[in-house]
Amino acid sequence: MFRRITILGMYIVLAMAVLPQPAYAMHIAEGFLPFNWAAFWFVVVLPFWFWGLRSIQQTVKSNPGLKMLLGLAGAYAFVLSALKIPSVTGSCSHPTGVGLGAILFGPSAMSILGGIVLLFQALLLAHGGLSTLGANTFSMAVVGPFVSYGLYRLVRRLNGSMPVAVFLAATLGDLMTYITTSLQLALAFPAQPGGVLASMLKFMGIFAVTQIPLAISEGILTVIVFNLLATYNKNELLELSILDDNKALVVGGRNQQHIR
């Protein structure tokens, strides 16, 4: 059954890939940013890539059995972020799928997984671009995961329930990705008059019509997937110190005492 669902998901992704590519999207298109801004975002994400690579190496070295779960987190982000939904004024929106991986492996690991996802989407699906890989990585694979991870930890420390923590983490991580993308576009193309703020509000308004419902839907889906993992991958979640022996989410386990 899982294999059939996976194959169906890949057919959906390939079908979406042949649709016309909008000018404005959550993945900034190839060549859309001026060179100076494209280079700037590459410089900004480089430290996060090094940090994420080290985090993944440490995780795999200490827990080799987590490779499959790590791959699942990347696949989840790939499938969700490849599903482009048409929005207003020729734009499109999509889920991000990075909240799940951020909760499981920490935000730094998702900078690598998200970067790989964005690279393959740019090469295989013409979704995003190579010149804008740095900007897209920063919004979807840096800001989104850090917001998701931070909110998850905060809600759990406030004794919030697991579904609430996962839902808020996935939903608001998605929304912060779109807000960051709007800021990136506004910095590159400030409005006349009004400057960066007016331009950012314009881009946010374009995305909001579809992105807010999508973020809520992603939050619900991530809760469902997380519950399935807690049921069928209990041992892996125990190794990550996310679950205890009673299947209650650990607030701070041994692997979550610091940001990974």
Side-chain angles (χ1 to χ4, degrees):
M1 177 62 71
F2 178 77
R3 184 177 181 181
R4 291 179 181 178
I5 294 175
T6 302
I7 294 174
L8 177 61
M10 293 307 298
Y11 275 127
I12 294 174
V13 170
L14 292 174
M16 296 298 293
V18 302
L19 294 178
Q21 299 296 314
Y24 300 111
M26 284 289 290
H27 289 359
I28 302 175
E30 174 66 38
F32 195 74
L33 289 179
F35 174 80
N36 58 329
W37 281 110
F40 171 79
W41 293 114
F42 268 107
V43 172
V44 170
V45 300
L46 278 177
F48 294 97
W49 279 336
F50 284 116
W51 183 13
L53 184 61
R54 182 178 179 183
S55 174
I56 291 176
Q57 288 174 337
Q58 291 175 343
T59 298
V60 172
K61 183 177 180 180
S62 59
N63 301 288
L66 295 176
K67 292 180 181 179
M68 291 295 292
L69 191 59
L70 193 66
L72 174 65
Y76 183 74
F78 180 89
V79 173
L80 287 193
S81 61
L83 300 177
K84 303 178 287 294
I85 309 299
S87 184
V88 297
T89 65
S91 68
C92 75
S93 299
H94 60 77
T96 63
V98 297
L100 179 66
I103 293 171
L104 294 176
F105 296 101
S108 58
M110 284 310 298
S111 66
I112 291 293
L113 293 181
I116 294 172
V117 164
L118 289 164
L119 175 62
F120 274 91
Q121 288 179 349
L123 293 175
L124 302 178
L125 306 181
H127 191 193
L130 296 179
S131 67
T132 56
L133 182 62
N136 290 328
T137 298
F138 182 77
S139 61
M140 194 183 95
V142 175
V143 174
F146 271 90
V147 170
S148 294
Y149 181 82
L151 281 170
Y152 167 76
R153 293 292 306 278
L154 175 63
V155 174
R156 292 303 296 160
R157 288 196 177 277
L158 295 176
N159 296 318
S161 67
M162 180 273 285
V164 171
V166 174
F167 173 79
L168 290 177
T171 300
L172 296 181
D174 180 299
L175 289 176
M176 280 306 301
T177 297
Y178 113 82
I179 291 174
T180 303
T181 300
S182 299
L183 175 61
Q184 291 173 320
L185 292 172
L187 289 171
F189 306 102
Q192 297 294 337
V196 172
L197 180 59
S199 181
M200 181 178 177
L201 292 175
K202 176 183 177 181
F203 284 115
M204 287 175 61
I206 291 172
F207 291 132
V209 176
T210 49
Q211 197 63 40
I212 292 176
L214 278 176
I216 296 172
S217 300
E218 179 178 342
I220 296 172
L221 178 61
T222 304
V223 171
I224 295 173
V225 172
F226 200 93
N227 285 338
L228 290 173
L229 291 176
T231 301
Y232 297 104
N233 295 83
K234 179 182 177 182
N235 292 334
E236 288 83 353
L237 297 189
L238 286 171
E239 288 184 31
L240 290 168
S241 297
I242 294 174
L243 291 177
D244 63 15
D245 290 331
N246 296 318
K247 287 191 177 182
L249 280 176
V250 174
V251 174
R254 60 182 174 83
N255 287 334
Q256 292 192 335
Q257 296 296 331
H258 55 86
I259 297 178
R260 289 167 288 168

